[in-house]
Amino acid sequence: MGRSAVMAPVPSKLYSDDVSLLVVLLDTNPFFWSTASLPFSKFLSHVLAFLNSILLINQLNQVVVIATGCNSCNFIFDSSSVPANPNLENGRMPALCSNLLQKLEEFVTGDEKLSKEVLAAGIGSSLLSGSLSMALCYIQRVFRTGPLHPQPRILCLQGSPDGPEQYVAVMNAIFSAQRSMVPIDSCVMGAQHSAFLQQASYITGGVYLKPQQLDGLFQYLSTVFATDLHSRRFLQLPKPAGVDFRASCFCHKNTIDMGYICSVCLSIFCKHHKKCSTCGSVFGQAQSDGNSATDRKRKTPET
Amino acid sequence: MNDMEHRKTNDGKGRRLDGEEEEEEEDEDEGNGRGLDAWERAYADERSWESLQEDESGLLRPIDNKTIYHAQYRRRIRSLYSSTTTARIQKGLIRYLYIVVDLSRAASEMDFKPSRMAVVAKHIEAFIREFFDQNPLSQIGLVTIKDGLAQCLTDLGGSPDSHVKALMGKLECSGDSSLQNALDLVHGYLNQIPSYGHREVLILYSALSTCDPGDIMETIQECKKSKIRCSVIGLSAEIFICRHLCQETGGSYSVALDESHFKELLLEHAPPPPAIAEFAIANLIKMGFPQRAAEGVISICSCHKEAKVGGGYTCPRCKARVCDLPTECRICGLTLVSSPHLARSYHHLFPIPPFDEVSLSLLNNPHQRSSRACFGCQESLLIPGNKPTLCVACPKCKQHFCLDCDIYIHESLHNCPGCESFRHSKIVSVTEE
């Protein structure tokens, strides 16, 4: 790399192509982890070893961890922030471990408390849209720091199934990531494939993987997801077998490959209807000042 | 009281009139005698150094462009949001837009560097890409005006590259400009599109006159009857006929002051305009959602008529292979889209409300722990000295955000991180409605 010849290190010379900022979205949904084949503690040990290896690959690499809970999301760890305890060195083990684990524990207990106040509606999915939005806001902040910044990417470690009520928000986040050229990698640990993450990785140019053996998670993480964006051009990373872009109809939630679209609100129907259930427009006639009440609700494929 | 007010308004009016006259005279003087350019005027008249300020210790305070920029942006967002929600105007999502480029003699003027035509072409390219990004189901066509005649450069289509290539190949200007010919041509084409589409024309007009074969007022009335929304962006000066056209058809008229202003005005036409309800008939459009073929499959694609390996899409009705979406199947005519294309427009239907500014008195309250860092990017909201800076809060989830996150959330992300990160707040908002 030729860094040894410089006497006083000039930052621009150290910023080679492969400096990366990795934002990890960690799924902490207890409803998933209680039934998963890999216990949460073992999973954390794989992830911590992986995060440490990222920080070792390049001294300027940065890691940020955001926890995706069942009722809330929050920042857990940022390797570039000043540690609370000045005795422990910045960003290196064991500071990485203890800081991260402590904050994660606080987050999980807080998340669980919120669960008691909330009705059990739509439980089973975690708030992926929230953590994706927070990750993208953080990445925008990194872009604002100037021309020299690490190449950001997002890694979703997701186990919970997709929540259909988050469809619009997740798609908004995906398009924003595509515009900012931030790839979204996905490692799905649940039983089924995640359609949201397949589309996310396809649209943004990231890697989608569903590991077959969860015991070897660290190997999957370090061989597939550890490489920076510049080096990915030289590697053969797993390509998805097929991405399902079919839509689901608003009336029955079936996946359809031919359907009818309302020209006003773009809702998808599988059969011909006289009236659109989302926006209230009557088809075939000039519309009146439609159904105003239905505009307000966040209409998603579920409702 | 009334007399006083009356006198005041008279004085005000009198003074204003005088002031206007003086300004006009000054302008004429400058126009005739001194001929100052805008950059010269910044030194001679506007004296930009006088807007610098000093703080208590005598050091120069930098001009805070950030808050000015943010204030402008907030005004724009507020006006957009209030007009759409209070009037319950829906947006026209399926748009058929014709861009009319004026390539008459006036387009070779060099007040925009290197020439008006080059600047227009460059920004049209950016506009086309932004337009298809925000309106994936819409189509654009290009028309040019040259030598008093209007010609169709590209037909209505959904592929940005073909339009851009055609435009870049035809950049020569000569002759007069004819507004009526352009409108007649566009009117003829737009009459053929399906009834659920919104018909729009965007005219980029450089000339100061128009040479028409007949009565342009009749043409304008016909456009109005066919519900075509015509907007004009002028590059030289305001022209009455353009203003009349836009007023009659419900479009917007603006004149660009310089290149960056032109870019801003042009990009304002990218998001869907508020649709006037009677303009387009609601209809159910039959569309297909093709699956992506597996990587190793070899088939003959219907758009290029040659064998291709893997990576295409299969039309669900006739099983023909197409290369990319959205497109119309060449064999059976079915519109083929993927669900992300539809999802790109959903944020127009579910906009997030503008964030409210947090008053500084609330920020100084020691109980407000949440305002220490921006919820989205974790940037500290306190400047050194523990004084809080300006921040905004979402009216629904009450989380605090910094100004840059506010702009990013409303212009690009269209999700409030606070509302998305709390399941409780989601359920509250649904039950409230």
Side-chain angles (χ1 to χ4, degrees), chain B residues 144-338:
Chain B
T144 56
I145 309 177
K146 210 164 87 157
D147 295 319
L149 294 171
Q151 280 163 335
C152 177
L153 198 58
T154 56
D155 288 321
L156 282 172
S159 144
D161 296 315
S162 60
H163 296 303
V164 172
K165 224 171 20 172
L167 179 66
M168 293 308 176
K170 278 285 193 130
L171 285 181
E172 309 117 11
C173 50
S174 64
D176 297 319
S177 154
S178 170
L179 202 54
Q180 184 182 6
N181 283 339
L183 286 175
D184 277 331
L185 185 70
V186 166
H187 178 257
Y189 283 125
L190 283 177
N191 268 340
Q192 298 167 12
I193 62 160
S195 57
Y196 53 75
H198 285 83
R199 303 157 187 200
E200 296 176 39
V201 181
L202 178 61
I203 306 177
L204 304 174
Y205 212 61
S206 317
L208 280 174
S209 60
T210 168
C211 293
D212 299 326
D215 186 5
I216 193 171
M217 296 301 185
E218 265 178 39
T219 314
I220 294 179
Q221 288 309 310
E222 291 212 353
C223 289
K224 186 173 172 183
K225 247 191 302 185
S226 307
K227 303 191 179 132
I228 303 178
R229 181 179 184 265
C230 306
S231 303
V232 180
I233 299 181
L235 281 107
S236 44
E238 178 169 332
I239 309 171
F240 170 73
I241 192 66
C242 296
R243 163 91 43 209
H244 181 73
L245 168 67
C246 296
Q247 259 170 0
E248 287 287 303
T249 54
S252 71
Y253 182 37
S254 39
V255 177
L257 296 170
D258 53 31
E259 186 173 336
S260 54
H261 188 217
F262 175 68
K263 181 175 171 189
E264 211 181 284
L265 290 173
L266 191 56
L267 287 176
E268 265 175 28
H269 286 93
I276 303 165
E278 311 83 54
F279 270 28
I281 300 176
N283 241 317
L284 274 181
I285 313 166
K286 194 169 169 86
M287 290 200 186
F289 301 100
Q291 293 236 49
R292 193 170 170 77
E295 287 298 320
V297 169
I298 305 178
S299 52
I300 301 180
C301 89
S302 57
C303 27
H304 300 101
K305 315 275 192 300
E306 55 186 38
K308 295 225 168 178
V309 187
Y313 301 90
T314 320
C315 170
R317 193 153 71 177
C318 66
K319 311 291 183 243
R321 181 200 187 278
V322 289
C323 283
D324 49 19
L325 303 177
T327 188
E328 226 179 73
C329 174
R330 284 186 186 223
I331 312 293
C332 64
L334 182 65
T335 311
L336 299 173
V337 292
S338 62

Side-chain angles (χ1 to χ4, degrees), chain A residues 156 185-189 193 201 207-212 217 220-221 223-225 238:
Chain A
C156 288
D185 298 328
S186 336
C187 182
V188 173
M189 297 162 300
H193 283 283
S201 299
V207 180
Y208 174 87
L209 181 72
K210 184 171 180 304
Q212 289 161 329
L217 186 64
Y220 288 104
L221 291 176
T223 50
V224 177
F225 297 110

Side-chain angles (χ1 to χ4, degrees), chain A residues 31-43 46 159 188-191 210-216:
Chain A
F31 292 93
F32 165 69
W33 286 112
S34 54
T35 56
S37 54
L38 183 73
F40 190 60
S41 49
K42 287 237 173 72
F43 165 71
H46 286 287
V188 173
M189 297 162 300
K210 184 171 180 304
Q212 289 161 329
Q213 304 261 31
L214 279 179
D215 298 334

Side-chain angles (χ1 to χ4, degrees), chain A:
Chain A
M1 211 76 76
R3 267 182 254 157
S4 51
V6 181
M7 278 198 50
V10 177
S12 57
K13 289 224 179 87
L14 293 176
Y15 257 95
S16 43
D17 295 333
D18 53 357
V19 177
S20 36
L21 159 67
L22 178 65
V23 183
V24 180
L25 308 183
L26 208 63
D27 185 2
T28 62
N29 187 359
F31 292 93
F32 165 69
W33 286 112
S34 54
T35 56
S37 54
L38 183 73
F40 190 60
S41 49
K42 287 237 173 72
F43 165 71
L44 275 183
S45 60
H46 286 287
V47 171
L48 286 174
F50 168 66
L51 294 181
N52 193 48
S53 70
I54 295 280
L55 291 170
L56 286 174
I57 289 176
N58 188 316
Q59 69 182 48
L60 294 170
N61 276 353
Q62 218 184 312
V63 168
V64 174
V65 180
I66 300 178
T68 314
C70 180
N71 301 303
S72 59
C73 302
N74 210 348
F75 282 85
I76 298 293
F77 176 73
D78 183 350
S79 69
S80 62
S81 59
V82 178
N85 190 342
N87 292 329
L88 302 169
E89 292 173 71
N90 185 11
R92 301 216 221 125
M93 302 263 255
L96 173 82
C97 280
S98 57
N99 277 348
L100 200 155
L101 290 173
Q102 186 187 357
K103 277 226 161 136
L104 191 60
E105 204 177 306
E106 285 170 13
F107 172 77
V108 172
T109 34
D111 194 51
E112 230 170 303
K113 266 195 226 147
L114 285 173
S115 176
K116 292 190 186 135
E117 302 165 4
V118 159
L119 312 160
I123 294 291
S125 61
S126 57
L127 294 173
L128 180 64
S129 55
S131 51
L132 267 177
S133 307
M134 290 167 77
L136 287 168
C137 284
Y138 186 88
I139 289 175
Q140 286 300 309
R141 172 187 166 191
V142 169
F143 281 148
R144 287 195 294 266
T145 56
L148 285 178
H149 57 79
Q151 299 291 317
R153 65 183 193 273
I154 298 179
L155 171 62
C156 288
L157 298 172
Q158 187 76 1
S160 326
D162 297 331
E165 71 276 4
Q166 296 172 33
Y167 177 68
V168 179
V170 171
M171 295 311 283
N172 284 342
I174 293 173
F175 295 133
S176 183
Q178 185 195 23
R179 274 179 130 181
S180 323
M181 296 196 285
V182 174
I184 299 179
D185 298 328
S186 336
C187 182
V188 173
M189 297 162 300
Q192 304 129 330
H193 283 283
S194 160
F196 287 179
L197 289 176
Q198 270 182 336
Q199 293 194 18
S201 299
Y202 179 76
I203 291 174
T204 57
V207 180
Y208 174 87
L209 181 72
K210 184 171 180 304
Q212 289 161 329
Q213 304 261 31
L214 279 179
D215 298 334
L217 186 64
F218 175 74
Q219 186 171 348
Y220 288 104
L221 291 176
S222 57
T223 50
V224 177
F225 297 110
T227 43
D228 57 278
L229 300 179
H230 178 75
S231 312
R232 283 188 184 189
R233 300 197 328 239
F234 318 122
L235 298 171
Q236 279 273 38
L237 293 170
K239 287 205 228 315
V243 187
D244 196 351
F245 278 130
R246 288 178 303 174
S248 30
C249 67
F250 281 35
C251 31
H252 309 108
K253 305 312 163 286
N254 304 331
T255 23
I256 47 170
D257 52 10
M258 261 197 293
Y260 297 91
I261 313 282
C262 166
S263 62
V264 174
C265 61
L266 301 186
S267 321
I268 307 168
F269 301 105
C270 48
K271 284 194 301 246
H272 216 284
H273 289 238
K274 288 252 169 56
K275 199 169 108 130
C276 173
S277 52
T278 320
C279 65
S281 341
V282 180
F283 297 125
Q285 304 170 14
Q287 4 154 355
S288 51
D289 264 60
N291 212 336
S292 52
T294 47
D295 288 352
R296 286 291 212 96
K297 284 194 211 149
R298 249 184 189 245
K299 278 295 177 179
T300 61
E302 188 186 49
T303 43

